[in-house]
Amino acid sequence: MPDVASRLKGHVEQLIGAPLSVRVRAWDGSQAGPPDAPTLVVRNRRALRHLLRKPGELGLARAWVAGDLTVEGDLYAALDALAGLVWERGEDARTLAQALRDPAFRSAARGLLALAGPPLPPAPPPEEVRRPRRGLHTKHSDRRAISHHYDVGNDFYEIVLGPSMVYSCAYWPAPPPRGTLEQAQHDKLELVARKLALRPGQRLLDVGCGWGSMAIHAARDHGVSVVGVTLSREQAAYARKRVADEGLTDRVDIRVQDYRDVSDGPYDAVSSIGMAEHVGSERYLEYATALHRLLKPGGRLLNHQIARRPQRDETSYRVDSFIDAYVFPDGELAPLGTTVSLLERSGFEVRDLESIREHYALTLRRWVENLTDGWDRAVSLAGPGRARVWLLYMAASALAFERNRIGVNQVLAVRTPEPGTSGLPLRARTWN
């Protein structure tokens, strides 16, 4: 009888209708597949049970997070190989029940069942968020979702993000990857400040202020007064300490507050960097309208947001199962055109759009380096499951940006007053 790796590889290839371009090593030590390819290590039968319970992305993620499935060799190459076969199919992957009913796949399904063996399918790893997708984007559900993602521990984020503590796309020089991550993050914050034309004495609202980096940069380098809002208490505590250490408590106010509860406008400018992905499609017009209301006439909004590619049938869009279950509960990505349309519907005049997709791929690869370099400490702080979630999420996301599956854009919009004077220069990209 063939060894476990050969049987496993053969059954999987029959089910997906394509060859596996990764090498497989099974729990019995057997191996099969191209010798120079990255190796998918199936450490035990439980990994198969996860995959049989939830074929496709979520099953792979559960096996990975539980430590039952690992990769030896180039993780990016392994994920790239899996993406076209299983990862992109998501919940469209053929279920075990369907395979057992289909004569063309019945023998492969039975073969995998035999390899998996008893007992019942394992429970999902404890890092998985399990809740019904109803009542989305209430203030309570948003607080819970933000806490799941951001309250992992500030020490853990220090490992991943580095000294800048900026959790959004950096802005790299050309040709990349010259320079440090810290300099590229500084350049991104300065780019936002210049697009908003920040001047001493102005008021800035930083929505989703994170660990305070944009607020500190704007107050220290541009002389503005800043209100930063976040739903994460851990972020707020960290940001307040940084503000105090910089001697900026008279100019920076960090609040644990929902953007919908901010009522002390008008502001001269609003920055929203990597926050709008949490808003959700049903609430996006409300979000845009709230920011429009908080700006004075002539005030500017810089909306920095990840976008997905549009689908021919937008009603078929489903939230990424791994991201929703382990990374950003209730998060949603929208096509760029949808975001621009909703900003315009809320009353904004959209004046500039800059795509910086490749910059995020470079940023994510640096974060992956930081995590792998500090792996032992990261595991001690957040646990092995959470560390594996982050490694998988960031490496897969880097590939998604590189392959143009998702993008990231800075949209500059103005609350243009009725006379039509936007306040922007004729040559807008001088950012004066």
Side-chain angles (χ1 to χ4, degrees):
M1 177 178 291
D3 57 48
V4 170
S6 297
R7 292 161 61 195
L8 177 57
K9 181 174 181 291
H11 294 323
V12 170
E13 288 177 340
Q14 184 180 351
L15 282 174
I16 64 177
L20 276 176
S21 55
V22 295
R23 189 166 180 80
V24 176
R25 186 165 78 239
W27 56 86
D28 67 340
S30 61
Q31 301 189 57
D36 56 346
T39 301
L40 194 65
V41 182
V42 185
R43 300 181 64 182
N44 50 53
R45 298 176 187 270
R46 189 169 55 244
L48 280 187
R49 296 180 195 131
H50 279 299
L51 289 165
L52 291 171
R53 175 67 179 270
K54 275 289 184 180
E57 180 176 328
L58 189 55
L60 279 170
R62 285 176 173 175
W64 172 274
V65 174
D68 301 323
L69 188 71
T70 61
V71 169
E72 290 183 0
D74 190 332
L75 176 60
Y76 294 104
L79 292 177
D80 219 10
L82 290 171
L85 298 175
V86 180
W87 206 262
E88 288 183 332
R89 300 185 185 193
E91 296 308 310
D92 291 332
R94 185 177 293 106
T95 67
L96 177 62
Q98 290 170 334
L100 288 171
R101 289 194 298 267
D102 190 331
F105 302 104
R106 189 176 297 149
S107 64
R110 287 175 174 170
L112 288 175
L113 276 173
L115 285 174
L120 295 174
E127 292 78 11
E128 183 171 320
V129 176
R130 295 180 290 278
R131 74 278 182 269
R133 284 189 60 82
R134 61 175 180 266
L136 295 183
H137 301 296
T138 64
K139 293 177 182 180
H140 173 73
S141 68
D142 281 353
R143 282 195 302 271
R144 181 182 60 207
I146 292 298
S147 178
H148 172 85
H149 186 75
Y150 293 103
D151 292 342
V152 176
N154 294 326
D155 290 344
F156 177 82
Y157 276 100
E158 285 180 340
I159 294 171
V160 175
L161 304 180
S164 67
M165 287 301 282
V166 180
Y167 183 39
S168 55
C169 175
Y171 198 63
W172 297 91
R178 293 185 297 114
T180 65
L181 173 62
E182 289 67 44
Q183 183 61 49
Q185 289 292 14
H186 172 274
D187 290 350
K188 188 273 300 298
L189 299 178
E190 181 60 20
L191 178 67
V192 171
R194 286 189 286 117
K195 288 182 177 181
L196 290 173
L198 297 181
R199 298 287 187 271
Q202 290 184 330
R203 297 184 74 214
L204 168 69
L205 174 63
D206 187 27
V207 182
C209 66
W211 292 272
S213 298
M214 180 65 205
I216 291 169
H217 180 87
R220 182 190 60 213
D221 294 2
H222 295 271
V224 302
S225 296
V226 187
V227 171
V229 296
T230 175
L231 295 179
S232 167
R233 295 189 180 278
E234 288 194 21
Q235 280 187 333
Y238 190 97
R240 287 168 183 154
K241 183 179 185 307
R242 293 180 72 194
V243 168
D245 290 346
E246 291 278 351
L248 295 170
T249 53
D250 59 330
R251 277 188 276 164
V252 179
D253 177 17
I254 302 295
R255 306 173 183 170
V256 178
Q257 186 176 35
D258 192 290
Y259 72 92
R260 288 164 284 196
D261 294 330
V262 177
S263 59
D264 59 348
Y267 289 87
D268 298 281
V270 173
S271 54
S272 179
I273 306 172
M275 178 272 179
E277 297 88 340
H278 297 287
V279 171
S281 58
E282 293 182 3
R283 297 282 186 176
Y284 202 91
L285 184 59
E286 177 186 3
Y287 157 82
T289 302
L291 300 190
H292 185 272
R293 170 181 52 80
L294 287 164
L295 276 169
K296 72 174 188 180
R300 300 183 188 183
L301 163 69
L302 193 285
N303 190 75
H304 176 120
Q305 181 177 344
I306 298 172
R308 62 177 172 85
R309 301 294 298 166
Q311 298 184 357
R312 290 183 180 180
D313 177 12
E314 279 294 315
T315 62
S316 66
Y317 169 67
R318 286 188 297 247
V319 176
D320 181 286
S321 57
F322 164 61
I323 298 294
D324 188 49
Y326 287 97
V327 186
F328 290 109
D330 303 342
E332 295 179 55
L333 300 183
L336 174 60
T338 300
T339 296
V340 169
S341 294
L342 290 170
L343 288 171
E344 290 181 327
R345 282 180 59 190
S346 72
F348 280 108
E349 180 188 9
V350 173
R351 293 300 303 252
D352 187 81
L353 188 154
E354 183 176 5
S355 172
I356 51 176
R357 173 174 61 83
E358 293 87 350
H359 291 257
Y360 218 155
L362 292 168
T363 305
L364 283 155
R365 283 182 176 262
R366 291 295 180 94
W367 289 344
V368 168
E369 287 181 18
N370 287 347
L371 178 57
T372 53
D373 289 346
W375 184 258
D376 290 343
R377 177 162 165 73
V379 168
S380 70
L381 290 170
R386 183 69 64 193
R388 284 192 288 264
V389 166
W390 275 80
L391 179 59
L392 178 61
Y393 149 61
M394 294 192 300
S397 295
L399 288 171
F401 282 105
E402 288 170 359
R403 303 294 184 260
N404 192 28
R405 299 184 192 116
I406 53 178
V408 63
N409 307 281
Q410 288 192 350
V411 179
L412 180 66
V414 181
R415 181 176 175 173
T416 303
E418 287 188 10
T421 304
S422 70
L424 269 80
L426 289 177
R427 295 187 177 185
R429 287 191 180 269
T430 58
W431 302 126
N432 293 322

